[in-house]
């Protein structure tokens, strides 16, 4: 049996039954890492020794007969913008090349309590800013399906690691599509939960009002199991909502049933419009047809004000980023320029040398949009556009249980293709940013291949707090599309 | 010279006396090794998030209610972005767009009563402290104070003289001390005032260009700074120049202020709503709960004292200057003690001892039941006044029960008249010269004989009794 071929839940079961030891699982992952990393570069930091120590401790707990969850002993990779105590966390930036957190993020604490084994920290676009993982200071990650192509981003390392079986599961973060788009490009499943349902405590902030930590796995079941672990209210995060406390244990695993009868699914015409790759469109429509065949009610509808989505999103994200990234000033931690004269010079040089081009572009964009005289024209207007989008989605979810569309307008691009043209890169977020602007949950699941042999992603969105609907529909799709 | 009017508005920062910081659970206690009262939140660690301390909101509401402000039903925090090493996140969480309190006033009395308007009160976090090491040419930063809660009380430009400024600050200080939400010490920085000042010709309706003055660490400094700045501005206008809008720093040693930054150098703080904190909704019930907990303030107390207790106006003003002394006074009187006698003890001995031990009135540790008992002991002539003062001093330092203390230390006046008379006869016999002086009309000699008797009785006799018996024996 090749351990790496198992799903996370299958592995968890084998570990519970003591068919496979936790150490064997960890060794299997590291074998794959050793084999693939020189080509793919999914990880910024791997922690072999730490993983073995964790494995030993978890094995002890299992052997003592401690009741543990379905994922106990399963190796997982964590995106490098999620704080891990005593394990370097860089956000793929030179700015944090030496930053070792003094505390665990809430999500990681939950993973550790549940006995998952952290293999290392995965590569990403610097501070999450990018859609290709090419803005990383630590080199690009390559798409396991075609190493001349990008894995998508910003959680490119996490998605590529799952696709290449360098881990069984991964945590990603999604500010504008950063879990879903690389999941689509890498042919894995990734879910962005409702804003406020997974604690952001310990997630290094980029766009605070937009981002969530979410699960990435080989299939819907694995994602559901991991989501169940990290979901829930955290008093350390003031934006974490009380509503998610209502979900009883097992609510997501319990949704893994093959039934979409009577489900109302809407497809926004705008998601199928100009700019969408024909092969992607065909796959998505085929998936929609599949839902219909299995008893769902599918229809097209129109979303208003779609053209404002991308500019509004980039203003809000950049404004928040310009403030969130202020703290990287060379004073307390991280990179400090070697030579400087006085405080202002230290700030200027440290930030000039420590940040990459895309990060600097967004800090400047955000600082400009927030500056006095422009605040009303940009930031306030973007907030208003966001409110309109929320209203538009409320209307849509009054009619539909799910909104279906492509995760990204294309499949994975060639390395370097998008880097020269940031506007083109921003436009690629068109399908994913609505879930961040409105806070609703969304999932990307594989829905076939294009003629180049590259995976295509299908995106489903549900109303806030309806991860259950999302998981059930995605799981059902996974089943009937296999058949 | 033309007649000018001075226009002043104040921005007053008050450090709130909560046990923990505004956005994390760290202690606000003074002292402690540098950075010992810190956590990921108040050191601005990547990934940390603020959680609002509810007590801060309640304290701010209490000050708002005490200053007749409207409490906002919805209040929000905003980020004020600027780079400085004492500011760990390089933004300060403050309130710009929806402050917690608005549109209040306090009444001051300087040559007649007048209202000083309060524009708004908002909540924010304090910064850390930089320590510069000149010898090593480097700086250190201590984040123990970072995240300590502050409120900023912004007045309207309603003050017209330094006296009004001081009256306004005194008023705020006493209101806030009565609420127990801060000790408001200018010298220690728990209360800080920035003065916005402009001048205009009397009768003019438009305001002149104002300057903002910082680094004012005492009432005296404020008075001097107002005087200096108004004269400086008037001199500029008189010589045909204009006042520049700028921030100035007061140098108390030099007795002058200097430009800190001009309008052109003013920072753009790029305020925007803090995305890590949700808007805070304050409902009517919550406001009512805070209202119900408001103490009787000084003005009301003064009025009540005037009708309820037969004590002089001067006593009332001193007793009510601090809520703590007023509380002790009232509680002691409630136990049946004579108000004037209670007032005498507090205003006399208690304040003297406080001054002597360099303590604040709020640190006065005096159990009302003990004070009442002490007064009763004197009234019943169990001890005399001199002994009472000694006992009081022990009570002041150690909070002892005076009755028990008198008993255990044998301070009770145990002299029967007969026994006392014998001792006085002995004193008369031992001091013939004084007796003769007295009989020759030197009434002062009486004092000497009383003193000798007190000495002989080791202070246990009632001076009134000594006087009575001595007079009887000498005059017959």
């Amino acid at each position: 049996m090749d351990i790496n071929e198992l799903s996370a839940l299958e592995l968890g079961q084998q570990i519970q039954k003591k068919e496979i030891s936790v150490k064997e699982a960890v060794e299997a992952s590291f074998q794959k890492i050793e084999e693939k990393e020189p080509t793919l570069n999914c990880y910024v930091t791997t922690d072999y020794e730490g993983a073995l120590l964790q494995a030993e401790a978890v094995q002890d707990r299992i052997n003592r007969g401690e009741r543990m969850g379905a994922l106990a002993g399963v190796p997982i990779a964590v995106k490098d913008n999620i704080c891990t105590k005593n394990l370097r966390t860089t956000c793929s930036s030179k700015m944090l090349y030496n930053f070792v957190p003094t505390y665990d993020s809430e999500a990681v604490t939950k993973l550790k309590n549940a006995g998952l084994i952290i293999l290392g920290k995965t590569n990403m676009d610097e501070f999450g800013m990018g859609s290709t993982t090419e803005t990383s200071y630590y080199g690009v990650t390559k798409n396991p399906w075609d190493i001349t192509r990008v894995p998508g981003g910003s959680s490119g390392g996490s998605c590529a690691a799952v696709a290449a079986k360098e881990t069984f599961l991964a945590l990603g973060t999604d500010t504008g599509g950063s879990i879903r788009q690389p999941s689509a490009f890498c042919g894995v499943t990734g879910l962005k939960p409702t804003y406020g349902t997974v604690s952001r405590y310990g997630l290094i902030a980029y766009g605070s009002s937009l981002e969530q930590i979410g699960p990435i796995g080989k299939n819907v079941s694995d994602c559901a199991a991991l989501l169940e672990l990290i979901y829930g209210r955290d008093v350390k995060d003031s934006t974490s909502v009380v509503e998610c406390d209502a979900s009883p244990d097992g609510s997501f695993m319990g949704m893994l049933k093959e039934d979409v009868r009577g489900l109302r699914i809407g497809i926004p015409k705008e998601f199928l419009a100009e700019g969408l790759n024909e092969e992607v469109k065909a796959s998505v429509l085929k998936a929609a047809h599949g839902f219909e065949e299995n008893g769902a009610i599918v229809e097209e509808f129109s979303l208003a004000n779609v053209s404002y989505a991308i500019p509004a999103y980039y203003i809000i994200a950049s404004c928040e980023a310009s403030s969130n990234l202020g703290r990287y000033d060379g004073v307390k931690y991280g990179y400090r320029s070697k030579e400087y004269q006085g405080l202002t010079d230290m700030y200027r040089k440290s930030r000039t040398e420590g940040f990459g081009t895309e990060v600097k572009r967004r800090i400047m964009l955000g600082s400009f949009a927030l500056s006095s005289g422009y605040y009303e024209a940009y930031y306030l207007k973007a907030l208003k556009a966001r409110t309109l989008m929320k209203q538009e989605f409320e209307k849509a979810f009054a009619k539909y249980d799910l909104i279906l569309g492509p995760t990204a307008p294309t499949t994975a691009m060639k390395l370097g293709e998008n880097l020269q043209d940031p506007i083109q890169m921003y436009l690629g977020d068109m399908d994913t940013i609505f879930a961040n602007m409105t806070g609703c949950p969304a999932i990307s699941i594989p829905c076939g291949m294009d003629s180049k042999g590259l995976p295509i992603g299908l995106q489903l969105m549900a109303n806030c707090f309806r991860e259950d609907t999302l998981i059930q529909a995605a799981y059902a799709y996974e089943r009937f599309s296999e058949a | 010279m033309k007649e000018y009017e001075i226009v002043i508005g104040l921005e007053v920062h008050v450090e709130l006396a909560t046990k923990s910081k505004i956005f994390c659970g760290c202690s606000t206690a003074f002292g402690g090794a540098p950075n010992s009262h810190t956590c990921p939140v108040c050191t601005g660690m990547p990934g940390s998030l603020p959680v609002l301390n509810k007590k801060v909101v309640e304290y701010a509401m209490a000050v708002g209610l005490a200053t007749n402000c409207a409490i906002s039903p919805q209040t929000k925090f905003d980020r004020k972005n600027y780079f400085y090493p004492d500011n760990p996140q390089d933004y300060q969480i403050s309130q710009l767009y929806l402050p917690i309190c608005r549109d209040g006033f306090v009444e001051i009395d300087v040559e007649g009563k007048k209202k000083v308007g309060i524009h708004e009160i908002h909540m924010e976090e304090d910064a850390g402290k930089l320590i510069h090491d000149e010898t090593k040419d480097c700086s250190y930063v201590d984040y123990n104070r970072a995240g300590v809660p502050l409120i900023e009380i912004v007045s309207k430009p309603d003050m017209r003289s330094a006296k009004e400024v001081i009256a306004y600050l005194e008023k705020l200080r006493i209101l806030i001390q009565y609420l127990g939400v801060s000790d408001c010490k200018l010298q220690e920085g728990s209360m800080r005032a920035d003065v916005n000042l402009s001048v205009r010709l009397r009768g003019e309706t438009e305001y002149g260009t104002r300057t903002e003055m910082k680094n004012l660490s005492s009432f005296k400094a404020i008075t001097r700074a107002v005087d200096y700045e108004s004269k400086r501005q008037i001199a500029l206008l008189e010589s045909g120049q204009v006042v520049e809008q700028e921030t100035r720093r007061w140098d108390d040693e030099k007795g002058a202020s200097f430009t800190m930054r001009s309008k052109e150098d003013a920072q753009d703080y790029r305020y925007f709503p803090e995305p890590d904190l949700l808007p805070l909704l304050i409902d009517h019930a919550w406001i009512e709960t805070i209202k119900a907990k408001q103490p009787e303030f000084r003005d009301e107390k003064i009025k009540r004292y005037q009708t309820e207790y037969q004590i002089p106006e001067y006593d009332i003003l001193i007793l009510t200057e601090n809520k703590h002394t007023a509380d002790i006074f009232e509680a002691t009187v409630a136990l049946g003690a004579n108000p004037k006698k209670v007032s005498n003890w507090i205003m006399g001995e208690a304040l003297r001892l406080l001054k002597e031990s360099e303590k604040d009135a709020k640190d006065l540790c005096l159990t009302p039941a003990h004070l009442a008992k002490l007064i009763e002991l004197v009234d019943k002539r169990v001890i005399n006044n001199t002994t009472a003062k000694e006992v009081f001093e022990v009570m002041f330092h150690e909070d002892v029960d005076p009755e028990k203390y008198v008993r255990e230390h044998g301070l009770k006046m145990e002299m029967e008249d007969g026994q006392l008379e014998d001792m006085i006869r002995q004193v008369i016999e031992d001091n013939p010269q004084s007796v003769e002086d007295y009989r020759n009309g030197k009434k002062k000699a009486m004092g000497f004989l009383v003193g000798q008797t007190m000495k002989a009785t080791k202070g246990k006799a009632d001076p009134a009794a000594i006087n009575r018996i001595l007079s009887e024996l000498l005059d017959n």
Side-chain angles (χ1 to χ4, degrees):
Chain A
M1 174 177 47
D2 184 350
I3 295 178
N4 289 316
E5 294 301 319
L6 298 173
S7 75
L9 282 169
E10 285 165 351
L11 174 65
Q13 224 171 24
Q14 300 282 330
I15 289 172
Q16 287 297 314
K17 284 198 248 162
K18 299 189 186 157
E19 300 282 338
I20 298 173
S21 74
V22 182
K23 189 173 177 218
E24 281 169 332
V26 170
E27 294 285 10
S29 288
F30 272 100
Q31 220 158 36
K32 208 62 161 181
I33 288 172
E34 212 165 295
E35 177 193 329
K36 300 270 187 177
E37 272 303 272
T39 325
L40 298 180
N41 191 36
C42 301
Y43 289 86
V44 175
T45 307
T46 52
D47 184 23
Y48 179 61
E49 277 163 29
L52 285 184
L53 284 173
Q54 292 174 65
E56 205 176 311
V58 171
Q59 190 69 58
D60 277 353
R61 284 167 71 185
I62 292 169
N63 293 347
R64 278 201 307 269
E66 189 179 321
R67 247 185 77 102
M68 296 184 79
L71 296 176
V74 175
I76 187 168
V78 175
K79 190 176 177 181
D80 211 18
N81 59 348
I82 301 172
C83 285
T84 40
K85 189 175 179 176
N86 300 330
L87 184 59
R88 185 174 74 138
T89 301
T90 69
C91 284
S92 286
S93 179
K94 179 182 180 183
M95 189 54 98
L96 290 176
Y97 76 105
N98 61 356
F99 177 64
V100 179
T102 58
Y103 71 106
D104 272 326
S105 58
E106 179 65 12
V108 164
T109 301
K110 286 182 165 178
L111 297 185
K112 286 183 176 173
N113 290 342
L116 280 86
I117 312 299
I118 293 165
L119 300 174
K121 308 300 292 288
T122 53
N123 201 14
M124 54 187 280
D125 283 293
E126 186 180 3
F127 283 101
M129 300 177 189
S131 321
T132 61
T133 315
E134 290 170 292
T135 68
S136 168
Y137 176 67
Y138 304 95
V140 297
T141 295
K142 288 169 186 150
N143 193 314
W145 295 84
D146 176 350
I147 57 166
T148 66
R149 291 178 185 272
V150 300
S154 67
S155 308
S158 284
C159 293
V162 171
K165 304 187 172 76
E166 289 184 46
T167 181
F168 291 83
L169 288 168
L171 283 186
T173 64
D174 193 313
T175 312
S178 286
I179 286 176
R180 291 160 287 156
Q181 183 256 26
S183 290
F185 283 12
C186 293
V188 299
T189 301
L191 187 151
K192 183 210 87 92
T194 307
Y195 187 77
T197 58
V198 176
S199 173
R200 289 187 297 116
Y201 190 77
L203 158 60
I204 299 181
Y206 153 32
S208 312
S209 73
L210 299 158
E211 59 208 6
Q212 282 285 283
I213 295 174
I216 297 159
K218 292 175 178 173
N219 58 38
V220 176
S221 311
D222 283 1
C223 283
L226 182 52
L227 178 63
E228 204 154 280
L229 260 183
I230 58 177
Y231 201 80
R233 179 161 158 76
D234 175 17
V235 291
K236 296 189 292 309
D237 176 359
S238 305
T239 59
S240 119
V241 289
V242 184
E243 280 88 337
C244 61
D245 255 355
S247 295
D249 273 357
S251 60
F252 297 142
M253 295 300 284
M255 296 317 290
L256 301 173
K257 46 194 174 195
E258 201 181 331
D259 184 6
V260 295
R261 279 170 301 170
L263 212 59
R264 298 164 304 163
I265 300 174
I267 307 174
K269 289 193 186 88
E270 292 73 15
F271 283 10
L272 303 174
E274 206 188 330
L276 178 62
N277 173 295
E278 283 304 321
E279 287 183 85
V280 173
K281 185 174 177 180
S283 277
V284 168
L285 289 177
K286 191 179 159 212
H289 189 61
F291 274 103
E292 216 166 9
E293 277 180 346
N294 283 275
I297 304 147
V298 183
E299 61 179 48
E300 288 188 18
F301 75 106
S302 190
L303 269 177
N305 300 317
V306 166
S307 57
Y308 297 121
I310 286 179
Y313 168 80
Y314 273 95
I315 287 170
I316 292 172
S318 302
C319 286
E320 291 178 0
S322 72
S323 173
N324 284 330
L325 273 61
R327 70 188 67 196
Y328 309 111
D329 54 10
V331 173
K332 304 160 294 265
Y333 41 70
Y335 179 78
R336 181 189 295 176
S337 180
K338 299 288 162 285
E339 275 176 51
Y340 51 85
Q341 263 154 2
L343 182 63
T344 311
D345 196 42
M346 183 185 89
Y347 281 153
R348 188 180 295 125
K349 284 195 175 134
S350 299
R351 288 169 68 81
T352 302
E353 294 159 18
F355 288 136
T357 306
E358 184 60 27
V359 172
K360 279 185 266 197
R361 178 168 18 241
R362 295 196 196 184
I363 289 175
M364 283 191 277
L365 198 64
S367 300
F368 172 74
L370 285 179
S371 56
S372 90
Y374 297 99
Y375 178 81
E376 289 79 8
Y378 294 109
Y379 187 75
L380 271 193
K381 214 166 248 177
L383 284 189
K384 281 177 191 157
R386 188 177 190 177
T387 306
L388 289 178
M389 287 165 74
K390 279 184 183 164
Q391 287 166 357
E392 195 62 22
F393 264 64
E394 267 167 40
K395 269 193 269 172
F397 284 124
K399 276 171 78 182
Y400 307 110
D401 300 306
L402 292 170
I403 293 175
L404 180 150
T407 305
T410 65
T411 51
M413 295 78 78
K414 286 274 187 191
L415 290 164
E417 203 173 277
N418 253 14
L419 221 47
Q420 278 70 39
D421 188 353
I423 298 292
Q424 196 54 43
M425 180 166 82
Y426 297 170
L427 289 175
D429 299 338
M430 166 70 198
D431 299 313
T432 44
I433 56 177
F434 288 94
N436 305 88
M437 291 292 267
T438 65
C440 78
I443 192 169
S444 176
I445 35 178
C447 75
M449 298 282 181
D450 71 1
S451 52
K452 298 186 211 91
L454 297 170
I456 296 168
L458 173 74
Q459 177 178 240
L460 298 173
M461 284 184 262
N463 205 354
C464 288
F465 310 111
R466 295 318 303 263
E467 277 82 355
D468 51 356
T469 313
L470 209 56
I471 285 166
Q472 182 175 347
Y475 178 79
Y477 173 76
E478 209 174 58
R479 293 279 100 69
F480 65 67
S481 65
E482 268 173 12
Chain B
M1 198 172 87
K2 291 165 240 153
E3 202 184 340
Y4 285 90
E5 179 179 51
I6 306 169
V7 176
I8 306 167
L10 291 191
E11 288 167 28
V12 177
H13 282 93
V14 175
E15 203 174 86
L16 298 179
T18 51
K19 288 199 176 66
S20 54
K21 294 185 179 180
I22 183 168
F23 297 123
C24 62
C26 291
S27 166
T28 56
F30 261 104
N35 298 305
S36 58
H37 298 161
T38 60
C39 71
V41 176
C42 57
T43 51
M45 283 289 173
S48 62
L49 293 171
V51 177
L52 178 61
N53 179 346
K54 203 173 142 191
K55 202 89 205 163
V56 173
V57 181
E58 298 193 337
Y59 280 8
M61 278 162 77
V63 175
L65 290 171
T67 52
N68 308 294
C69 287
I71 308 296
S72 310
Q74 190 192 15
T75 180
K76 276 198 322 194
F77 285 93
D78 302 293
R79 287 191 189 173
K80 179 180 181 177
N81 296 286
Y82 66 94
F83 284 89
Y84 205 62
D86 66 1
N87 176 12
Q89 308 164 112
D90 289 295
Y91 57 80
Q92 178 197 33
I93 305 179
S94 180
Q95 296 195 290
L96 177 71
Y97 296 110
L98 286 174
I100 184 162
C101 310
R102 270 185 172 147
D103 282 329
F105 67 87
V106 295
E107 203 176 60
I108 58 168
D109 192 351
V110 181
E111 294 152 9
K113 287 185 176 163
K114 95 175 238 188
K115 281 179 183 171
V116 175
I118 288 177
H119 178 258
E120 67 167 64
I121 300 176
H122 62 253
M123 302 175 275
E124 59 188 29
E125 55 181 341
D126 206 350
K129 276 203 165 57
L130 287 184
I131 300 139
H132 304 285
D133 187 336
E134 305 291 341
T135 59
K136 287 186 190 157
D137 190 28
C138 72
S139 298
Y140 302 94
V141 60
D142 174 7
Y143 291 123
N144 281 351
R145 302 314 292 162
V148 167
L150 301 174
I151 50 171
E152 183 175 338
I153 305 168
V154 183
S155 85
K156 291 178 181 165
D158 287 351
M159 285 158 277
R160 297 290 175 269
S161 67
K163 271 188 185 159
E164 288 188 0
V165 170
I166 302 303
Y168 168 76
L169 285 170
E170 268 293 341
K171 188 79 181 199
L172 283 184
R173 189 177 67 85
I174 290 173
L175 276 177
I176 292 167
Q177 280 181 348
Y178 261 68
L179 288 166
V181 305
S182 174
D183 56 8
C184 289
K185 285 185 185 162
L186 239 61
Q187 281 82 351
E188 289 173 19
S190 59
M191 187 180 195
R192 303 191 277 263
D194 298 338
V195 172
N196 287 297
L197 188 147
S198 65
V199 299
R200 61 180 173 188
L201 285 175
R202 194 168 291 282
E204 179 67 59
T205 48
E206 297 287 310
Y207 293 125
T209 306
R210 68 185 158 88
T211 60
E212 180 182 355
M213 207 151 16
K214 292 180 177 290
N215 195 40
L216 301 158
S217 58
S218 68
F219 283 174
K220 209 171 141 198
I222 291 171
T223 305
R224 293 174 70 203
V226 165
D227 187 50
Y228 175 90
E229 181 59 13
S230 52
K231 281 184 180 146
R232 190 187 69 88
Q233 290 190 12
I234 291 168
L236 280 173
L237 297 179
E238 281 292 302
S239 63
Q241 290 172 278
V242 289
V243 174
E244 297 288 343
Q245 186 177 333
E246 60 185 3
T247 305
R248 301 178 67 84
R249 187 176 190 283
W250 176 251
D251 186 326
D252 207 37
E253 252 172 60
K254 297 198 173 93
S257 63
F258 302 92
T259 302
M260 250 174 98
R261 51 174 182 262
S262 68
K263 195 186 174 189
E264 287 74 38
D265 301 331
Q267 296 196 48
D268 186 342
Y269 291 119
R270 295 175 284 119
Y271 277 99
F272 77 109
E274 166 58 271
D276 289 331
L277 292 167
L278 299 178
L280 181 69
L281 303 176
I282 299 174
D283 62 11
H284 190 65
W286 195 7
I287 297 174
E288 286 306 311
T289 321
I290 302 301
K291 238 182 218 167
K293 279 193 264 180
Q294 298 284 87
E296 179 188 36
F297 288 107
R298 191 187 188 197
D299 290 352
E300 305 155 38
K301 242 187 224 308
I302 289 174
K303 271 185 209 143
R304 184 166 61 81
Y305 280 21
Q306 284 164 344
T307 55
E308 215 165 288
Y309 309 117
Q310 301 298 308
I311 53 172
E313 190 72 17
Y314 177 76
D315 289 33
I316 294 178
L317 291 181
I318 298 221
L319 285 173
T320 56
E321 201 176 295
N322 189 290
K323 182 173 179 289
H324 186 57
T325 51
D327 284 346
I328 293 173
F329 170 76
E330 288 177 39
T332 314
V333 172
L335 291 169
N338 173 292
K340 180 59 188 156
K341 285 183 182 166
V342 179
S343 168
N344 286 347
W345 277 113
I346 294 174
M347 296 186 23
E349 286 304 287
L351 294 188
R352 181 184 68 79
L353 289 167
L354 279 172
K355 204 170 172 188
E356 217 176 78
S357 46
E358 289 175 351
K359 275 193 194 165
D360 254 4
K362 74 171 174 58
D363 301 321
L364 176 60
C365 180
L366 193 59
T367 309
H370 291 170
L371 180 54
K373 219 179 258 178
L374 182 73
I375 292 170
E376 197 188 329
L377 290 175
V378 179
D379 284 350
K380 289 192 175 158
R381 301 201 165 178
V382 178
I383 54 174
N384 61 33
N385 263 323
T386 316
T387 309
K389 278 186 186 174
E390 282 166 28
V391 176
F392 186 87
E393 194 158 345
V394 183
M395 282 163 60
F396 177 89
H397 292 295
E398 296 162 38
D399 193 28
V400 295
D401 178 342
E403 202 166 34
K404 202 171 157 214
Y405 185 82
V406 164
R407 190 172 60 240
E408 283 172 0
H409 292 78
L411 298 175
K412 217 166 150 186
M413 296 189 292
E414 285 166 319
M415 303 282 154
E416 297 295 324
D417 271 9
Q419 195 190 347
L420 185 58
E421 201 176 314
D422 290 346
M423 292 178 93
I424 291 173
R425 282 185 195 282
Q426 189 60 49
V427 170
I428 288 174
E429 201 169 301
D430 294 346
N431 297 282
Q433 186 59 49
S434 297
V435 174
E436 201 183 317
D437 287 351
Y438 177 79
R439 289 192 171 134
N440 289 337
K442 281 193 183 165
K443 298 293 173 194
K444 259 200 241 163
M446 180 68 146
F448 176 76
L449 293 169
V450 172
Q452 291 301 305
T453 315
M454 284 299 276
K455 206 170 155 189
T457 61
K458 295 192 177 96
K460 287 183 191 176
D462 177 5
I466 299 173
N467 261 306
R468 178 174 48 77
I469 298 169
L470 251 177
S471 306
E472 279 169 17
L473 294 175
L474 293 173
D475 295 342
N476 292 325

